[in-house]
Amino acid sequence: MATGNRSIAQRRKLALIISNGNYSKKENEINDSVQNGKRLKYLLKAIGFEIVKHKKNVFVKQDMMLEVKKFADMANKEDLVLFYYCGHCCQVGQINYLIHVNDDNIEMNTIEDYGTDAGRMLDRLVDRQEQDTIPSYATIFILDCCKPYQLKDGTKSSARTQSKGLYEMQASDGVLIQFSCEPKKTVRNNLFVEYLLENITQENVHIVDVFQNIRDDVCRASEGQQQPFLIYQLQHPEDIYLYTKLFSTVKLPQNAKWQSTARTIAGGDQYNSGPDSTLDKLHCPRGLSFTPKQAILIADTLNHRIIKYRQDEIVGQKIVGENIPDHKNKTLCSPTNMIFHEQSRSYIICDYQNRRVLQWFRRKGAHLEVLWKNIACFGIAADHEGFIYISDTENHEVRRYSDPTKRGVRVAGGDGKGNSLHQLNHPTYIYVDLDKTVYVSDSWNNRVMKWKNRARSGVIVAGGNGYGNDRTQLDCPAGLVIDQWGSVYVADHWNHRVMRWRNGATEGDIIINNKHLARNDPDQLNGPEGLAFDEDGHLYVADCYNHRIQQFEIEAN
């Protein structure tokens, strides 16, 4: 494979499918092989794979290896590569040989001459014959060839023998191997492809879990008669997913309303929410975001840690941070925001007082990496391609990043501190929509700005009339979310309320706490910061100086 630099943005996903079914020997025909390959091709395309080729009925050995070589040559080290073969295969001397469809001359003693060595094909895909010893990101090698193969004995003209099935293969670094049945066994009624197609498009499921689900489904459906073989050596620190479903713009009813009384979901109950460092308490929480599985992430700022709460849990799980301000490994100093980055399956964190952006990998060998440093990073967002956006309160700008080795592209502000439309003053929270339009809480200008992709100046979409508490004003806007109607939801920090500014409106609606008072009652807030909506439309608010996270349920109809 060719080499390539790792990027924080989305990886390529490449697939090669070979379907052999139209064998010269009629007893070896596999009638559904080509059709199953087509079905797999369409499903893989639907989840973001580029189908390099679907090769049907490979006629000779040389063509089989040529397709694999061309496929490997166009892939980079950082790509997720999938190879699927459906057809016949035989083992000879502990080597598995894939059989091309022109099999008239294949006998037991000529398989090595006419068949294609599966081990050599896998080696070519993972680049083992090159001097570069760095393993590829991930290579998925699927051999769906468990049906019996009839061939001549080679010693008697009329004698027939049956293939013994596949010999067990070993997975090297970065490789997952899947057989459709156990090594050294064959089955006539192959159920593997049915459950491969059923499971391959699972959203946000780790690659190992996908193939284990396939194995379990086949075993159950066949009552143990067919047991797919799975072996893998995935040492990459990131989670590896076939299909990561990205979050889209928040979808809410156009005239949505929320209950005025909240439920405290983190930081203690509503009457006992003082600051503390135990895992059921918070201290000045700021940024909020959700994981794909709807766990809520909290920047527990003055506890110097990132906390995760799953639904209905009363005690959080510490992701990273040691409750003390520090700049050493696994320590934070006043983190302000974080997101779960879906393409890299990692957490990206604004370690504000340490002036650095961190990446935290969460599976085996969990560790922190510094992505960018010497930046007053406060807010963070990601677009649908996986590019990272960071607000810088010192340089009064927002930049988009694709690679840790690069400085990033300025997308908002950056012309010095000011209140002109091409300037920002202490930008904090940000939101990026599907068009890569950037919304910024321009906190010290008491306004929310909207910068379209490649725009040289922004437009005011909320506030901008000086600080105050009437419906045309904001006082240090903080957390920010945009819905599918273009409405802006903003935490109005020093007015202790949450407002909605409809698209094009000159004044906003107060949707949470219309008293402008700092209180700790269930219907009031004290310095709201981060905002987030779950998939049901419930609103979550980081009630900073009450040291709690409040959930306001959406009203029916």
Side-chain angles (χ1 to χ4, degrees):
M1 292 183 183
T3 58
N5 293 327
R6 176 180 170 185
S7 169
I8 199 71
Q10 190 167 10
R11 300 177 185 278
R12 289 195 309 170
K13 298 187 291 187
L14 307 177
L16 170 64
I17 299 171
I18 296 179
S19 300
N20 281 353
N22 190 23
Y23 284 89
S24 300
K25 297 175 182 176
K26 295 301 181 182
E27 64 268 29
N28 290 324
E29 286 185 351
I30 305 175
N31 296 326
D32 56 358
S33 177
V34 172
Q35 183 60 31
N36 288 337
K38 286 183 180 179
R39 293 167 66 195
L40 178 61
K41 177 179 73 172
Y42 293 135
L43 288 177
L44 289 175
K45 287 179 69 174
I47 61 175
F49 273 82
E50 176 186 346
I51 310 302
V52 173
K53 196 163 191 179
H54 177 202
K55 183 71 174 178
K56 309 173 191 70
N57 295 314
V58 179
F59 199 68
V60 294
K61 172 181 179 178
Q62 291 80 358
D63 288 349
M64 190 100 72
M65 199 64 197
L66 180 62
E67 293 299 336
V68 171
K69 183 180 183 301
K70 290 191 294 185
F71 180 51
D73 286 344
M74 72 171 295
N76 295 322
K77 282 285 189 179
E78 297 298 324
D79 295 334
L80 173 59
V81 167
L82 185 148
F83 172 79
Y84 171 81
Y85 171 78
C86 181
H88 285 300
C89 189
C90 289
Q91 60 154 302
V92 175
Q94 301 182 359
I95 296 176
N96 297 318
Y97 292 93
L98 278 57
I99 308 300
H100 54 75
V101 297
N102 182 25
D103 63 339
D104 279 329
N105 296 321
I106 296 181
E107 299 177 358
M108 198 65 195
N109 59 358
T110 61
I111 288 177
E112 294 169 273
D113 297 325
Y114 288 100
T116 305
D117 185 338
R120 280 191 60 215
M121 297 174 73
L122 179 57
D123 286 344
R124 190 66 186 87
L125 290 175
V126 298
D127 215 9
R128 292 300 167 190
Q129 297 172 345
E130 303 284 335
Q131 291 183 353
D132 184 1
T133 58
I134 300 173
S136 302
Y137 172 69
T139 302
I140 305 165
F141 194 72
I142 306 172
L143 298 182
D144 184 7
C145 40
C146 63
K147 289 192 174 183
Y149 182 65
Q150 305 292 334
L151 69 167
K152 290 181 181 180
D153 184 290
T155 59
K156 301 177 182 179
S157 59
S158 60
R160 294 278 176 173
T161 188
Q162 184 172 292
S163 61
K164 303 175 183 177
L166 294 169
Y167 190 81
E168 181 175 333
M169 298 174 67
Q170 297 300 313
S172 56
D173 286 347
V175 172
L176 181 147
I177 298 173
Q178 174 78 73
F179 294 172
S180 53
C181 66
E182 290 179 87
K184 301 182 181 179
K185 287 193 175 182
T186 60
V187 294
R188 294 190 177 278
N189 183 24
N190 183 11
L191 301 178
F192 175 79
V193 71
E194 175 184 344
Y195 292 100
L196 172 69
L197 298 173
E198 183 176 303
N199 285 275
I200 201 77
T201 58
Q202 292 182 85
E203 301 169 3
N204 306 313
V205 178
H206 190 268
I207 183 175
V208 173
D209 295 329
V210 170
F211 286 97
Q212 285 178 341
N213 291 342
I214 295 168
R215 180 192 62 195
D216 294 345
D217 287 348
V218 172
C219 288
R220 184 167 48 251
S222 67
E223 297 181 342
Q225 296 302 305
Q226 182 177 355
Q227 300 183 30
F229 169 76
L230 175 64
I231 189 170
Y232 53 88
Q233 186 87 12
L234 301 175
Q235 298 298 327
H236 204 281
E238 304 172 15
D239 281 353
I240 302 174
Y241 288 67
L242 292 175
Y243 181 29
T244 300
K245 186 173 182 180
L246 300 172
F247 288 123
S248 60
T249 302
V250 174
K251 292 179 172 59
L252 298 169
Q254 192 166 15
N255 296 307
K257 294 182 180 180
W258 289 265
Q259 294 179 7
S260 59
T261 300
R263 179 171 71 96
T264 300
I265 61 104
D269 62 53
Q270 60 194 29
Y271 300 108
N272 181 24
S273 56
D276 205 333
S277 61
T278 58
L279 288 175
D280 62 338
K281 297 288 186 177
L282 303 169
H283 193 178
C284 290
R286 286 200 165 93
L288 298 179
S289 63
F290 279 97
T291 70
K293 294 183 179 179
Q294 292 293 286
I296 192 165
L297 300 176
I298 305 166
D300 190 8
T301 300
L302 294 189
N303 278 325
H304 313 288
R305 64 190 183 185
I306 303 299
I307 295 289
K308 178 169 73 173
Y309 274 79
R310 293 185 174 89
Q311 293 291 331
D312 299 320
E313 286 186 342
I314 61 174
V315 176
Q317 172 192 349
K318 183 176 68 174
I319 300 299
V320 64
E322 298 296 334
N323 299 346
I324 55 173
D326 207 337
H327 66 276
K328 298 177 182 178
N329 190 31
K330 296 187 180 181
T331 59
L332 307 173
C333 188
S334 299
T336 51
N337 271 284
M338 74 281 106
I339 58 171
F340 182 76
H341 188 254
E342 300 181 57
Q343 287 83 354
S344 65
R345 312 305 298 180
S346 65
Y347 300 98
I348 313 293
I349 302 164
C350 287
D351 190 11
Y352 186 61
Q353 293 293 346
N354 279 328
R355 299 172 55 80
R356 61 187 183 178
V357 180
L358 302 174
Q359 185 173 29
W360 174 255
F361 295 106
R362 63 191 186 129
R363 284 182 75 86
K364 185 184 296 184
H367 65 284
L368 277 174
E369 289 184 6
V370 178
L371 295 178
W372 302 283
K373 55 186 178 180
N374 298 320
I375 174 175
C377 49
F378 192 101
I380 186 169
D383 65 25
H384 66 282
E385 294 183 53
F387 295 106
I388 301 294
Y389 297 69
I390 302 289
S391 66
D392 184 340
T393 60
E394 187 176 272
N395 290 314
H396 311 285
E397 66 181 9
V398 179
R399 284 185 175 268
R400 179 179 66 230
Y401 296 85
S402 62
D403 193 307
T405 65
K406 298 179 180 178
R407 186 166 179 259
V409 177
R410 188 176 66 187
V411 295
D415 289 326
K417 179 174 68 175
N419 61 6
S420 299
L421 293 180
H422 64 284
Q423 294 177 304
L424 299 170
N425 187 357
H426 199 80
T428 54
Y429 294 82
I430 55 179
Y431 185 92
V432 181
D433 71 12
L434 293 175
D435 296 323
K436 298 186 179 180
T437 297
V438 180
Y439 294 80
V440 187
S441 280
D442 191 9
S443 295
W444 291 359
N445 280 329
N446 303 298
R447 66 189 185 184
V448 176
M449 299 290 291
K450 173 183 176 181
W451 291 64
K452 290 187 176 181
N453 191 22
R454 297 191 176 93
R456 302 187 65 178
S457 62
V459 297
I460 300 171
V461 292
N465 297 302
Y467 71 89
N469 62 15
D470 71 31
R471 291 174 56 193
T472 67
Q473 295 176 303
L474 297 169
D475 194 348
C476 197
L480 191 63
V481 181
I482 316 300
D483 70 12
Q484 81 272 29
W485 310 104
S487 296
V488 176
Y489 296 80
V490 58
D492 192 3
H493 184 84
W494 290 120
N495 283 324
H496 314 290
R497 65 189 182 185
V498 178
M499 298 191 72
R500 173 176 57 199
W501 294 65
R502 298 184 188 275
N503 192 6
T506 57
E507 63 179 29
D509 303 319
I510 302 170
I511 60 173
I512 304 295
N513 189 12
N514 60 7
K515 301 183 178 72
H516 323 301
L517 301 173
R519 299 282 298 276
N520 65 354
D521 297 332
D523 61 345
Q524 292 184 288
L525 303 168
N526 186 357
E529 286 275 340
L531 296 183
F533 289 96
D534 66 17
E535 58 188 9
D536 296 318
H538 304 315
L539 172 62
Y540 295 74
V541 182
D543 192 6
C544 184
Y545 306 126
N546 283 327
H547 315 288
R548 64 188 183 184
I549 308 301
Q550 299 289 83
Q551 181 204 59
F552 295 87
E553 292 191 0
I554 193 169
E555 293 184 353
N557 301 319

